[in-house]
Amino acid sequence: MTQSPHVPWWKTAVIYQIYPRSFADSTGDGVGDLGGVTSRLGHLRDLGVDGLWLSPFYRSPMADFGYDISDHTDVDPVFGTLADADALVAAAHDLDLRVVVDFVPNHTSDQHPWFVDARSSRSADHREFYVWRDPAPDGGAPNNWRAAFSDSPAWTFDEATGQYYLHLFLPEQPDVDWNNPAAAEAMLDVLRFWLDRGVDGFRADVIQCIGKTADLPDAPPEMDGLPAVLLDFGEDTHRHIRSIRQLLDSYDGDRFVVGETSVLDRARMVSYLGDDDELNLAFNFLALYSTWDADVWRTELAESYALHDAAGAWPTWVLSNHDLMRHRSRYGSEARARAAAVMLLTVRGTPFLYQGEEIGLADAVIPEDRVVDPGGRDGCRAPVPWTAERSHGWGADPWLPFPPEAGRLNVATQTGDPASMLEHYRRLIDLRRATPALHGGEIELLEAPDGVLRYRRFTDDRSGDLVEIAINFTDGPIDDAITDGRWLGGTTPRAVAGTTLGPDEARIVAVDG
Ligand code: GLC
């Protein structure tokens, strides 16, 4: 008997991103925390996802809300304790939910003991953990790189030691020099620490930036006005990613790493998957920037699949995260967000959901006096409303205002209402789990009338259902848009038949091969 090949869990999974500050608050201080996450794991189980990814909850001065880490191996008091993290991992595992944590390899906080030591003198033990350079001959920054979130140089001059240090993000986030073996090893130790505590994988923050070449040449003229995070840092980055992968592969249980490969070149994004020896998965940022248009998405899917197939790699799909306007807001209507959910959960690849999309949240409107993020991302980070009443399940007034229509767009109100976004997501995730052609299998893009994206899914051996999906990206009905097959699901809560798709309708049918 031939054995079927081993399929790692993360290939067939649906993974749910949690931004801990805004998910659920167990202490009543208005800031979400790990106890809050643990108390709401039932929501994730009922939604049907397989795992959760937690944005950073480590010790941090919060200049970048946790992406500036001052201790990688402890929990910030605002989120709880290390014991709370252990309890969360254990409780999730008891419910068969995997836990993915954020790994921020490119930089630390300027308050991290490594950097505090590094800036204390040129001969400090940790000096070379970071990227230091002498001033240019005119006393200015060593090269023309720009930092993210501002139009400022990616360099800050350190008066005490007379050199500049590199920071692709805020000055409070100095870049780590992975080309220094001791720094790279210390970063791998961070992974070991969390692997040994039982986490199932990592989301690696701006992983494409970790390999800085020694000579740090100026960015080319076409990068004028763009942040240096978009530069191609070359082979060193690939080498460091391979060391991360080797470490993960030395553990059992299909531990994996998904990279925040926020680059605008699809081939480069796929290059970080290597020859199955770099990242296991890479986020596709071009898809996050794709507009709600059938042709745009057809091209997006076709090009992504071609590149992933050529590399023998598995794609991922994501529509929203904690850094960008939510897709409900970008696409402009709830009806489109419903159709988008059908697409996200039926295309080939691992889907990642962002907390709150399952209840149809739009970005919050943030009054000027409540803006807190230096990167202008507060709107998508608004707290998740759990209940209809004024406090929406939060004790004190939360750290950011709630998203619009929280009296309707909350978990309690939508539970059990077949027409709600929440029940729509639950049905889609159930169907995906029950249908091998959807959670594994192949995809074929089909011809379709203008405004419609249409594709088929089937298992590699074509043994199960042949599933057809069609999505109407327009606000009018379209004829001959889908085969008249056996209804499996879609934007309508009840079965519909025929070959016409209504406005903003998406439908999933089983058809005869
Ligand atoms: C990533 C994170 C973002 C953070 C930045 C710097 O893009 O997703 O939230 O600000 O890296 O760590």
Side-chain angles (χ1 to χ4, degrees):
M1 212 177 83
T2 55
Q3 254 191 322
S4 45
H6 172 70
V7 179
W9 67 271
W10 43 263
K11 273 197 175 177
T12 56
V14 178
I15 300 178
Y16 182 100
Q17 181 191 354
I18 290 179
Y19 192 71
R21 287 187 88 82
S22 304
F23 187 65
D25 174 15
S26 70
T27 59
D29 65 353
V31 177
D33 47 53
L34 295 184
V37 177
T38 304
S39 75
R40 296 287 182 182
L41 288 175
H43 171 66
L44 303 192
R45 186 203 48 214
D46 295 347
L47 182 59
V49 300
D50 304 276
L52 50 123
W53 147 34
L54 292 157
S55 279
F57 49 81
Y58 319 110
R59 269 195 194 264
S60 164
M62 305 287 167
D64 189 16
F65 292 103
Y67 282 94
D68 50 319
I69 299 171
S70 55
D71 184 347
H72 298 94
T73 58
D74 199 6
V75 173
D76 194 89
V78 83
F79 296 126
T81 62
L82 205 47
D84 292 329
D86 289 340
L88 165 51
V89 173
H93 285 169
D94 281 348
L95 295 175
D96 277 337
L97 293 165
R98 311 280 185 144
V99 180
V100 176
V101 298
D102 225 299
F103 175 51
V104 186
N106 180 68
H107 43 266
T108 67
S109 161
D110 63 345
Q111 305 300 310
H112 194 291
W114 298 339
F115 192 71
V116 172
D117 178 49
R119 76 186 322 175
S120 68
S121 99
R122 287 203 190 192
S123 58
D125 283 353
H126 295 90
R127 181 73 173 180
E128 306 303 333
F129 268 42
Y130 297 88
V131 183
W132 296 93
R133 290 289 183 277
D134 289 332
D138 67 356
N143 70 18
N144 68 356
W145 294 5
R146 318 298 296 174
F149 308 144
S150 69
D151 192 31
S152 315
W155 297 93
T156 289
F157 187 64
D158 181 57
E159 294 285 348
T161 58
Q163 282 189 312
Y164 281 88
Y165 67 87
L166 177 68
H167 52 87
L168 296 183
F169 292 88
L170 300 171
E172 293 89 345
Q173 293 167 294
D175 276 46
V176 170
D177 188 357
W178 274 73
N179 288 346
N180 169 0
E185 199 52 34
M187 275 295 179
L188 294 182
D189 278 344
V190 172
L191 295 174
R192 292 187 183 100
F193 178 87
W194 290 104
L195 287 164
D196 292 341
R197 295 192 101 80
V199 308
D200 302 286
F202 298 92
R203 175 270 192 185
D205 193 67
V206 289
I207 188 79
Q208 75 278 7
C209 297
I210 62 176
K212 318 277 170 349
T213 51
D215 52 343
L216 305 181
D218 270 349
E222 64 268 22
M223 288 276 302
D224 250 9
L226 295 174
V229 284
L230 293 175
L231 285 170
D232 185 345
F233 293 98
E235 174 50 30
D236 281 336
T237 297
H238 294 278
R239 181 165 60 85
H240 299 314
I241 297 176
R242 281 193 290 274
S243 71
I244 292 171
R245 175 66 180 270
Q246 275 164 21
L247 174 64
L248 293 177
D249 286 351
S250 73
Y251 279 73
D252 59 3
D254 291 326
R255 319 283 180 110
F256 84 111
V257 55
V258 55
E260 190 213 14
T261 41
S262 45
V263 298
L264 302 181
D265 172 336
R266 215 186 300 279
R268 204 175 122 210
M269 181 260 289
V270 173
S271 78
Y272 297 113
L273 297 159
D275 190 11
D276 195 20
D277 59 353
E278 297 190 35
L279 299 172
N280 299 95
L281 296 172
F283 282 136
N284 176 0
F285 274 72
L286 283 170
L288 270 161
Y289 298 125
S290 291
T291 51
W292 189 242
D293 178 287
D295 280 344
V296 168
W297 273 96
R298 198 189 155 81
T299 306
E300 176 58 55
L301 295 175
E303 291 185 2
S304 288
Y305 289 129
L307 284 166
H308 282 87
D309 286 353
W314 186 250
T316 68
W317 299 100
V318 56
L319 299 177
S320 288
N321 65 29
H322 65 294
D323 289 329
L324 294 170
M325 184 189 277
R326 286 178 175 277
H327 66 275
R328 158 72 186 78
S329 298
R330 293 198 319 272
Y331 296 162
S333 75
E334 203 163 302
R336 289 178 177 181
R338 266 180 102 84
V342 173
M343 181 177 72
L344 178 64
L345 290 161
T346 60
V347 287
R348 179 174 185 262
T350 301
F352 284 75
L353 311 182
Y354 176 50
Q355 65 180 33
E357 73 174 70
E358 77 279 20
I359 50 173
L361 293 186
D363 273 20
V365 179
I366 313 290
E368 226 168 279
D369 62 339
R370 294 201 60 185
V371 169
V372 287
D373 176 45
R377 300 162 294 183
D378 295 325
C380 62
R381 297 175 176 181
V384 171
W386 291 96
T387 55
E389 97 291 358
R390 211 190 64 83
S391 69
H392 302 300
W394 288 70
D397 252 1
W399 69 292
L400 284 173
F402 287 106
E405 291 188 79
R408 179 176 69 87
L409 302 183
N410 65 71
V411 174
T413 301
Q414 293 191 22
T415 299
D417 171 3
S420 71
M421 189 72 90
L422 180 57
E423 296 299 339
H424 176 53
Y425 267 80
R426 286 182 179 163
R427 282 190 301 268
L428 285 169
I429 294 171
D430 271 1
L431 177 67
R432 185 186 159 89
R433 183 191 295 279
T435 312
L438 290 180
H439 62 241
E442 296 298 323
I443 188 165
E444 183 188 359
L445 301 177
L446 303 178
E447 290 299 315
D450 279 355
V452 172
L453 175 69
R454 184 177 175 190
Y455 47 93
R456 285 189 170 179
R457 303 292 317 275
F458 45 90
T459 52
D460 299 342
D461 59 2
R462 294 181 181 259
S463 58
D465 268 345
L466 177 59
V467 181
E468 184 173 315
I469 297 102
I471 300 156
N472 179 357
F473 281 68
T474 77
D475 56 7
I478 299 186
D479 294 334
D480 299 320
I482 188 165
T483 304
D484 189 9
R486 180 165 55 86
W487 186 85
L488 296 175
T491 43
T492 57
R494 273 172 300 278
V496 276
T499 62
T500 302
L501 285 182
D504 301 307
E505 189 192 341
R507 200 183 299 165
I508 309 165
V509 294
V511 297
D512 294 330

